[in-house]
Amino acid sequence: MNPHASTNGQLSVHTPKRESLSHEEHPHSHPLYGHGVCKWPGCEAVCEDFQSFLKHLNSEHALDDRSTAQCRVQMQVVQQLELQLAKDKERLQAMMTHLHVKSTEPKAAPQPLNLVSSVTLSKSASEASPQSLPHTPTTPTAPLTPVTQGPSVITTTSMHTVGPIRRRYSDKYNVPISSADIAQNQEFYKNAEVRPPFTYASLIRQAILESPEKQLTLNEIYNWFTRMFAYFRRNAATWKNAVRHNLSLHKCFVRVENVKGAVWTVDEVEFQKRRPQKISGNPSLIKNMQSSHAYCTPLNAALQASMAENSIPLYTTASMGNPTLGNLASAIREELNGAMEHTNSNESDSSPGRSPMQAVHPVHVKEEPLDPEEAEGPLSLVTTANHSPDFDHDRDYEDEPVNEDME
DNA sequence: CTTCACCTAAACAATT
DNA sequence: TAATTGTTTAGGTGAA
């Protein structure tokens, strides 16, 4: 796995003091430093030597709201990876059992190792009161303290809060998965029925902007949704209605008559106008991450952000299968950073130059009776083979009978 | 408590 | 005529 996933590493970073300590222990090695680059999620700052790295670490990644939030994201990334690993190990075990031991032991090896612990933890965590969040990122002072105390604080609590692990393939949880593995990241939303942490407006805009001509027909937008997000392969009637609704409602979406009929374009100016409002609410992103159950949404955004960092080179290749997620992620990353900035320095501006992605607003995460047995949800990227990434776009995934999220 | 941004549902008109 | 596309209205949630 990736070394960054080390919770310890992350946490240690949070405390400048500890930082120096670990430094002493490991003279010139640091999980967050490699190849002359800061490996802090989303940083990648070039640091000629270890000293400058430490300097950079302490100045740029000090114990503040942003770092704290990023740390949480990283924790979730790790957790998801562990879950994934546990699943795959189980699968591997089953495969081996099947091939070697054959029928003898029908039950493969439900012993996902210690990883299981993480699973159980999350499960119980999700069941636990989701508001045992001690820190309030919004208040740099308070939150920091606990963090400094050690991993336990952040880990446990945030894990609980984040409790994303009840990754049922329900449509209501924005359970990101993440990974340092870029490929997987990009494929995540495509394969996992996880609700993307973006508003419809943002998604629509993204879809349109991604098109060569910056314009799409309604149907093309639909296709983009289903192509990019497994989540939107269900309950089509619902989200399609929402898409249309958004197109009509927001002034930032302009309908243009075209040969093909009519296409939708984005009025960036209008879209930007909306941002200031959201920006003001940005700080909430951080807060959300730990205060309400809505946290998972923004967290996802953050997660995406972190993933984006890693995938930048990938999604920049327009030729790639789906640079979209990357873009989304990067956009969100900016959003996240922006939010952070705003948190520290309020009234900056309506930042027109910043990414327009308004992912801050969570797509409501409705509480869903979590289902412990987490079924064999498609969570597993590998497992989701049933959702062929290259499914027929023209074939809409109309409401499947399976809409357990409908009360 | 109010406002705001979002989401979902649904009615209905216009097009295809 | 049926399906699709657009427009509107209404109700509900959560955050500020």
Side-chain angles (χ1 to χ4, degrees), chain A residues 386-398:
Chain A
N386 49 328
H387 291 300
S388 57
D390 51 83
F391 59 80
D392 181 351
H393 299 196
D394 298 309
R395 180 184 144 236
D396 288 319
Y397 289 65
E398 288 308 333

Side-chain angles (χ1 to χ4, degrees), chain A residues 14-70:
Chain A
H14 273 287
T15 64
K17 294 167 190 172
R18 277 176 167 286
E19 196 45 60
S20 46
L21 284 179
S22 61
H23 166 40
E24 289 167 15
E25 294 165 20
H26 310 288
H28 292 296
S29 70
H30 191 292
L32 289 173
Y33 182 60
H35 298 93
V37 175
C38 173
K39 303 223 171 170
W40 181 277
C43 182
E44 295 185 357
V46 178
C47 303
E48 302 146 33
D49 52 58
F50 194 70
Q51 281 308 315
S52 56
F53 159 69
L54 288 178
K55 199 171 179 180
H56 161 80
L57 192 60
N58 290 322
S59 61
E60 299 303 308
H61 308 301
L63 187 53
D64 56 16
D65 294 351
R66 184 155 150 187
S67 298
T68 302
Q70 293 177 319

Side-chain angles (χ1 to χ4, degrees), chain A residues 4 28 31 44-45 53 63 83 89 94-96 107 109-110 131 141 158 177-178 187 198 229 261 340 363 365 374 391:
Chain A
H4 313 224
H28 292 296
E44 295 185 357
F53 159 69
L63 187 53
L83 279 172
K89 278 189 173 175
M95 290 167 74
M96 293 175 78
K107 248 286 182 122
Q131 41 185 197
T141 39
S158 56
I177 279 200
S178 69
E187 292 299 307
F198 319 112
F229 306 92
M340 301 303 191
V363 176
V365 180
E374 60 96 25
F391 59 80

Side-chain angles (χ1 to χ4, degrees), chain A residues 84-362:
Chain A
Q84 190 60 49
L85 178 60
K87 281 232 163 202
D88 283 328
K89 278 189 173 175
E90 197 173 344
R91 186 172 309 140
L92 171 62
Q93 197 65 33
M95 290 167 74
M96 293 175 78
T97 302
H98 169 67
L99 297 177
H100 301 303
V101 191
K102 213 112 192 213
S103 57
T104 327
E105 291 184 290
K107 248 286 182 122
Q111 31 102 273
L113 312 157
N114 35 352
L115 294 178
V116 177
S117 66
S118 84
V119 177
T120 33
L121 162 66
S122 4
K123 263 182 198 162
S124 54
S126 53
E127 286 168 328
S129 108
Q131 41 185 197
S132 41
L133 282 189
H135 12 327
T136 351
T138 16
T139 49
T141 39
L144 305 187
T145 326
V147 179
T148 348
Q149 301 183 327
S152 53
V153 182
I154 252 196
T155 331
T156 43
T157 50
S158 56
M159 279 315 211
H160 287 227
T161 339
V162 174
I165 315 332
R166 55 246 251 212
R167 74 254 211 265
R168 238 190 113 338
Y169 50 90
S170 101
D171 306 342
K172 298 188 175 172
Y173 289 115
N174 301 316
V175 184
I177 279 200
S178 69
S179 69
D181 182 318
I182 300 158
Q184 278 200 329
N185 290 334
Q186 295 198 315
E187 292 299 307
F188 179 61
Y189 282 115
K190 259 189 171 181
N191 302 304
E193 288 180 44
V194 169
R195 177 164 201 150
F198 319 112
T199 62
Y200 280 111
S202 295
L203 290 173
I204 294 170
R205 170 178 171 278
Q206 194 61 37
I208 294 173
L209 295 184
E210 262 181 33
S211 65
E213 299 176 42
K214 304 286 182 281
Q215 55 177 45
L216 290 176
T217 62
L218 178 62
N219 196 51
E220 287 170 335
I221 293 175
Y222 286 162
N223 289 336
W224 184 85
F225 270 66
T226 50
R227 183 172 68 248
M228 304 310 294
F229 306 92
Y231 177 85
F232 292 118
R233 285 168 206 166
R234 318 182 148 241
N235 304 316
T238 297
W239 66 261
K240 283 183 178 179
N241 184 22
V243 167
R244 291 196 304 277
H245 171 241
N246 275 266
L247 285 170
S248 294
L249 194 65
H250 301 300
K251 283 189 285 185
C252 56
F253 296 123
V254 183
R255 201 180 93 104
V256 179
E257 288 298 334
N258 194 15
V259 196
K260 303 164 74 175
V263 292
W264 290 92
T265 60
V266 178
D267 180 337
E268 277 303 307
V269 179
E270 273 303 319
F271 192 88
Q272 298 297 339
K273 282 184 185 174
R274 299 149 42 83
R275 288 219 58 193
Q277 306 174 301
K278 312 234 52 176
I279 293 256
S280 61
N282 263 342
S284 67
L285 181 147
I286 323 274
K287 208 174 285 176
N288 286 341
M289 291 176 109
Q290 36 206 179
S291 51
S292 71
H293 26 278
Y295 60 77
C296 34
T297 315
L299 184 71
N300 279 336
L303 219 197
Q304 275 295 310
S306 73
M307 297 194 284
E309 331 277 54
N310 303 319
S311 53
I312 286 179
L314 270 183
Y315 66 71
T316 33
T317 8
S319 56
M320 276 223 74
N322 72 33
T324 314
L325 288 178
N327 290 331
L328 282 174
S330 67
I332 290 169
R333 180 188 63 236
E334 290 178 30
E335 187 74 26
L336 174 63
N337 292 331
M340 301 303 191
E341 287 166 21
H342 278 281
T343 309
N344 299 324
S345 60
N346 297 320
E347 48 89 15
S348 2
D349 62 82
S350 37
S351 61
R354 210 163 264 144
S355 159
M357 181 57 86
Q358 45 167 225
V360 180
H361 268 266

